[in-house]
């Protein structure tokens, strides 16, 4: 089958010497890394993209277009459009793969060249924007220069971009070392992926939404930036009547670590930590068990911020999926647990739960930074102007009002043997507390584990080993539905077994008590070991075996008249025949005296005489 001449047709239709048609159309184009392709149409008033599955259409007016770039991409060639208001828009798929032979390859090159020419003419005539053709660096070097653009940070190798990170995808950054800067790109949650299936652009403006659509996601990049730079600060502007020129000598320079300067620039460009509106309330130096450290908490209208010495997080209230208040069994502290989706990240570690700890008797007096008008219109009946109560109560009330989530507390139907809500147990080597709620179970602080009742297939109560300690503790194993795995909690006190089993049966959870099956044998074994270990003497005697067995029967192998037998030393009934041996002993003593006499005696020292 012969291919049509590349001079007659292109991807979108017939090729024209000039952009005389009222529009240019391209099929199978992907918007912002979406998996669903669509049709992209350029016209004099702007351009639009509509998904093939019939979702909502994305449009961009020509007055909002500021820059345009053409480069190689995953699905062929990509068109990047930088708008003045909505950031960066990516259109990928201008060169589909139709074959691998030489003829088809040349046809593809002709197609992409013609597509570039058509778009370049359209952008120049209709939008007054030059379409820049950029070639990427393909050397594979990991050293180069990171430059800040209007909408993204670009890592360039020999003045060619190796990769770009859009500011809208950067969720956090921190100084990982003296000369190292870590950049975190937030993974999109489940709701974010669902929101983007219709191709609506509004959701793409949110943090982490664009990269979150791929199966493999970039979540962190680290830049090593050595050396120092001279940070210049201009002096204050001169007053009226004075010369307004500022010379180089008038500029104050301060030497600063290059990594710090790059970090501060990225924070400013990516608007990390910036929030809309003023702070409603702030809590200083709150202890966090997960992630570990002390953070300041700033509450805003749409989000809250955790500010630590190393890490700084801005978390929208819509990311809060669960809010739990758990009293600690020590009657001193209260744990506030916040479930997040997507979770927080510190390097390779993900934290789906934030666990903070406050003292119950730690009171605070707080006045909200909100106007009377907003207090009456936005927060009527949910917030009050002044608070004077324990810190955990004020935090709970504010989070409940701002995020709109129900506060989950331990169930009143369960109480431990010490009349507490939580019981002590452990996950592997991590000790914590286990709480029973009306619809779920929770283990805190690390690793924070949440188990919903409706996800449990059955629960197994078991005891490991046969030692005495095994009779005092037991293990709880949760088997999840659909074969999603198991979760085991160990070292639970034996006295909590009855209360936990009754609570789970009341919640219609299947319980398998393996301790009842082997309880008799385990108890007998424990009593036996306890009896053996009650006396040290008995343990020593048992170790000697038959060495201490006394028997009054005469040993057949024993011969009393044997010449080789020696009379006992302290036996009074020793026969007179023993006198022979005494004589022998006296003879031996006399021989030793003779030998001693033959030895020349050492002369004695002369006594000292005073002069």
């Amino acid at each position: 089958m012969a291919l049509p001449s590349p001079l007659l047709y292109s991807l979108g239709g017939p090729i024209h010497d000039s952009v005389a048609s009222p529009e240019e159309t391209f099929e199978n184009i992907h918007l912002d890394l979406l998996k669903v392709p669509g049709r992209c149409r350029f016209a004099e008033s702007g351009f639009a993209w509509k998904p093939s599955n019939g979702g909502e259409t994305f449009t961009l007016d020509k007055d909002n277009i500021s820059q345009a770039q053409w480069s190689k991409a995953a699905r062929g060639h990509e068109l990047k459009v930088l708008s003045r208001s909505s950031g960066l828009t990516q259109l990928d798929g201008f060169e589909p793969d139709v074959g691998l032979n030489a003829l088809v390859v040349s046809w593809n090159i002709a197609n992409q060249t013609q597509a570039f020419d058509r778009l370049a003419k359209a952008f120049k005539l209709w939008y007054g924007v030059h379409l820049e053709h950029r070639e990427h660096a393909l050397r594979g070097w990991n050293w180069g220069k990171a430059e800040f653009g209007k909408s993204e940070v670009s890592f360039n190798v020999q003045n060619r971009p190796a990769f770009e990170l859009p500011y809208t995808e950067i969720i956090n950054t921190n100084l990982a070392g003296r000369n190292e800067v870590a950049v975190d790109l937030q993974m999109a949650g489940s709701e974010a992926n669902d929101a983007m299936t219709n191709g609506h652009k509004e959701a793409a403006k949110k943090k982490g939404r664009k990269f979150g659509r791929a199966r493999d996601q970039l979540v962190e990049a680290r830049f090593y930036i050595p050396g120092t730079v001279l940070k210049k600060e201009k002096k204050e502007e001169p007053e009226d009547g004075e010369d307004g020129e500022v010379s180089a000598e008038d500029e104050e320079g301060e030497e600063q670590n290059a990594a710090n300067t790059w970090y501060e620039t990225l924070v400013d460009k990516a608007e990390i930590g910036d929030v809309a509106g003023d702070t409603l309330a702030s809590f200083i130096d709150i202890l966090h068990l997960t992630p570990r450290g002390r953070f300041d908490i700033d509450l805003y209208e749409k989000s809250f911020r955790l500010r630590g010495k190393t890490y700084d997080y801005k978390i929208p209230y819509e990311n809060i999926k669960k809010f739990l208040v758990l009293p600690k069994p020590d009657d001193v502290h209260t744990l506030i647990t916040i479930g997040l989706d997507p979770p927080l990240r510190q390097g390779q570690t993900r934290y789906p739960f934030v666990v903070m700890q406050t003292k119950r008797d730690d009171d605070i007096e707080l006045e909200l930074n909100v106007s009377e008008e907003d207090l009456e219109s936005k927060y009527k009946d949910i917030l009050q102007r002044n608070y004077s109560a324990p810190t955990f109560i004020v935090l709970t009330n504010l989070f409940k009002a701002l995020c709109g989530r129900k506060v989950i507390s331990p169930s009143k139907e369960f109480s431990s043997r010490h009349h507490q809500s939580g019981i002590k147990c452990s996950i592997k080597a991590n000790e914590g507390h286990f709480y029973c709620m009306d619809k779920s179970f929770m283990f805190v602080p690390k690793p924070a584990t949440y188990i919903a009742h409706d996800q449990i297939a059955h629960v197994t109560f078991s005891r490991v080993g046969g030692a005495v300690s095994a009779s005092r503790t037991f293990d709880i194993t949760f088997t999840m539905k659909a074969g999603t795995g198991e979760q085991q909690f160990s070292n639970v006190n034996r006295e909590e077994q009855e209360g936990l089993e009754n609570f789970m049966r009341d919640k219609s959870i299947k319980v398998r008590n393996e301790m009842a099956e082997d309880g008799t044998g385990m108890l007998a074994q424990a009593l036996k070991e306890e009896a053996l270990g009650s006396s040290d003497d008995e343990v020593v005697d048992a170790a000697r075996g038959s060495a201490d067995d006394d028997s009054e029967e005469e040993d057949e192998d024993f011969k009393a008249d044997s010449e080789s037998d020696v009379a006992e030393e302290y036996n009074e009934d020793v026969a007179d025949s023993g006198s022979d041996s005494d004589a022998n002993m006296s003879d031996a003593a006399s021989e030793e005296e003779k030998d001693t006499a033959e030895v020349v005696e050492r002369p004695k020292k002369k006594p000292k005489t005073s002069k």
Side-chain angles (χ1 to χ4, degrees):
M1 177 179 174
L3 293 173
S5 172
L7 301 178
L8 299 179
Y9 293 89
S10 69
L11 275 174
I15 301 176
H16 304 279
D17 295 337
S18 62
V19 186
S21 61
E23 62 184 30
E24 290 288 350
T25 304
F26 298 89
E27 301 289 345
N28 297 322
I29 303 300
H30 297 260
L31 173 69
D32 289 334
L33 305 182
L34 277 176
K35 297 180 180 179
V36 179
R39 174 182 295 179
C40 187
R41 182 173 298 175
F42 296 85
E44 187 174 357
S45 59
F47 72 89
W49 179 88
K50 185 175 182 180
S52 58
N53 59 2
E56 297 184 17
T57 303
F58 163 70
T59 60
L60 187 64
D61 188 74
K62 70 174 186 178
D63 296 332
N64 203 11
I65 299 175
S66 61
Q67 291 182 4
Q69 297 176 359
W70 176 272
S71 61
K72 187 73 176 177
R75 297 184 176 94
H77 279 75
E78 177 186 62
L79 174 66
K80 286 185 178 181
V81 180
L82 178 62
S83 63
R84 292 183 172 87
S85 61
S86 58
L88 191 66
T89 301
Q90 296 174 261
L91 298 169
D92 190 6
F94 285 96
E95 184 190 3
D97 296 328
V98 296
L100 296 177
N101 56 62
L103 179 60
V104 172
V105 169
S106 63
W107 166 253
N108 287 340
I109 295 175
N111 277 345
Q112 75 91 5
T113 304
Q114 294 157 7
F116 172 76
D117 293 340
R118 292 168 58 193
L119 289 173
K121 292 178 181 179
F123 272 80
K124 182 177 181 180
L125 294 178
W126 290 339
Y127 314 137
V129 175
H130 172 68
L131 181 59
E132 180 185 0
H133 193 173
R134 302 186 66 183
E135 294 289 341
H136 281 81
L138 304 177
R139 290 182 176 270
W141 292 358
N142 65 338
W143 66 92
K145 187 176 182 180
E147 298 180 349
F148 295 99
K150 292 184 179 180
S151 59
E152 58 188 6
V153 55
S154 177
F155 184 79
N156 298 332
V157 176
Q158 293 185 337
N159 297 326
R160 289 188 176 185
F163 62 88
E164 301 94 356
L165 298 178
Y167 296 140
T168 55
E169 302 303 306
I170 298 176
I171 191 63
N172 188 39
T173 182
N174 60 82
L175 290 169
R178 178 179 176 83
N179 299 314
E180 190 174 10
V181 180
V183 180
D184 294 333
L185 300 111
Q186 179 169 326
M187 297 170 55
S190 57
E191 294 183 1
N193 293 331
D194 297 338
M196 287 309 301
T197 54
N198 59 0
H200 198 266
K201 182 62 178 178
E202 291 301 323
K205 299 177 185 177
K206 299 180 180 180
K207 293 279 186 180
R209 295 300 191 258
K210 187 178 294 185
F211 285 179
R213 299 176 197 132
R215 177 178 299 179
D216 297 324
Q217 303 174 27
L218 177 65
V219 296
E220 185 187 45
R222 295 203 174 197
F223 297 89
Y224 179 78
I225 308 171
T228 59
V229 294
L230 190 63
K231 185 177 181 181
K232 296 182 178 180
E233 297 180 359
K234 292 185 179 181
K235 292 184 178 181
E236 297 181 358
E237 296 182 0
E239 298 179 357
D240 296 340
E242 298 181 2
D243 188 4
E245 296 182 357
V246 179
S247 61
E249 298 178 356
D250 296 333
E251 294 181 354
E252 296 180 353
E254 180 183 355
E255 194 176 69
Q256 188 176 0
N257 192 359
N260 291 344
T261 304
W262 197 88
Y263 164 78
E264 293 173 359
T265 306
L266 180 61
V267 169
D268 180 62
K269 292 284 187 179
E271 299 179 353
I272 298 174
D274 292 348
V275 291
D278 298 330
T279 306
L280 298 179
S282 295
F283 298 85
I284 307 300
D285 202 27
I286 301 298
L287 176 62
H288 285 62
L289 304 182
T290 306
R292 189 74 180 178
R294 291 186 176 272
F295 293 85
D296 296 341
I297 304 175
D298 297 330
L299 301 180
Y300 298 88
E301 182 179 357
K302 298 294 183 181
S303 62
F304 71 99
R305 184 179 178 184
L306 299 178
R307 292 185 290 109
K309 294 182 179 179
T310 305
Y311 293 92
D312 192 327
Y313 299 99
K314 184 182 68 174
I315 307 171
Y317 291 128
E318 63 182 12
N319 290 1
I320 298 178
K321 306 304 177 185
K322 299 176 183 65
F323 191 89
L324 302 91
V325 178
L326 308 173
K328 211 169 181 180
D330 58 3
D331 289 329
V332 177
H333 300 91
T334 298
L335 303 176
I336 298 177
T337 306
I338 302 176
L340 300 175
D341 184 21
L344 293 185
R345 291 187 64 256
Q346 286 187 4
Q348 300 295 330
T349 308
R350 301 172 62 184
Y351 295 100
F353 288 91
V354 174
V355 182
M356 57 187 75
Q357 176 177 286
T358 62
K359 291 185 178 181
R360 300 183 189 180
D361 57 355
D362 187 8
D363 296 337
I364 186 175
E365 294 184 0
L366 181 67
E367 181 179 357
L368 294 185
N369 182 24
V370 60
S371 63
E372 292 292 342
E373 182 181 354
D374 291 341
L375 190 62
E376 291 293 330
S377 59
K378 297 180 180 179
Y379 309 112
K380 187 178 181 180
D381 299 332
I382 60 174
L383 289 179
Q384 56 190 27
R385 167 68 66 181
N386 298 303
Y387 288 90
S388 180
T391 303
F392 78 95
I393 295 179
V394 178
L395 267 172
T396 301
N397 292 336
L398 292 179
F399 269 104
K400 179 182 178 181
L402 295 174
C403 71
R405 291 291 178 180
K406 179 183 177 182
V407 178
I408 303 176
S409 301
S411 176
K412 297 181 181 179
E413 300 178 12
F414 174 80
S415 179
S416 68
R417 62 190 179 98
H418 296 299
H419 306 287
Q420 299 289 340
S421 300
I423 59 176
K424 189 175 180 180
C425 63
S426 61
I427 296 180
K428 296 182 179 179
N430 300 308
E431 292 186 353
H433 294 91
F434 182 82
Y435 293 87
C436 300
M437 273 79 71
D438 290 330
K439 296 183 179 180
S440 60
F441 298 99
M442 188 73 197
F443 176 86
V444 288
K446 184 180 180 180
T449 305
Y450 179 87
I451 302 176
H453 290 178
D454 55 3
Q455 299 296 325
I456 301 173
H458 62 269
V459 180
T460 304
F461 288 42
S462 60
R463 187 185 292 113
V464 180
V468 176
S469 59
S471 63
R472 300 170 185 171
T473 62
F474 67 99
D475 297 345
I476 305 176
T477 304
F478 290 84
T479 304
M480 313 309 293
K481 293 181 179 178
T484 54
E486 294 183 349
Q487 181 63 61
Q488 186 180 64
F489 302 92
S490 56
N491 297 328
V492 185
N493 194 292
R494 180 66 177 81
E495 298 179 6
E496 309 289 356
Q497 182 263 332
E498 183 178 358
L500 287 171
E501 185 173 357
N502 294 336
F503 175 81
M504 294 180 183
R505 295 188 187 279
D506 293 340
K507 297 299 180 180
S508 301
I509 300 175
K510 297 181 180 179
V511 179
R512 298 178 180 177
N513 191 349
E514 296 181 354
M515 295 187 297
E517 299 176 0
D518 58 348
T520 305
M522 295 288 292
L523 181 60
Q525 179 69 17
L527 293 175
K528 182 178 179 181
E529 293 183 1
E530 186 175 1
L532 291 176
S534 60
S535 175
D536 294 339
D537 296 337
E538 293 179 1
V539 174
V540 173
D541 293 343
R544 295 181 61 181
S546 60
D548 295 332
D549 292 343
D550 295 332
S551 177
E552 297 179 357
E553 297 179 359
E554 185 178 354
D555 193 349
E556 297 178 356
D557 298 334
F558 178 76
K559 296 181 180 180
D561 298 336
S562 175
E563 298 179 356
S564 62
D565 294 334
V566 182
E568 295 183 7
E569 184 178 358
Y570 300 103
N571 193 350
E572 297 178 356
D573 299 331
V574 175
D576 295 338
S577 60
S579 59
D580 296 339
S581 60
D582 295 337
N584 295 334
M585 292 295 293
S586 61
D587 295 339
S590 60
E591 291 179 0
E592 288 182 1
E593 293 176 356
K594 292 180 181 180
D595 295 337
T596 306
E598 294 177 359
V599 178
V600 180
E601 294 183 358
R602 183 177 179 180
K604 298 181 180 180
K605 293 183 180 181
K606 296 181 180 181
K608 293 182 180 181
T609 58
S610 58
K611 292 181 182 181

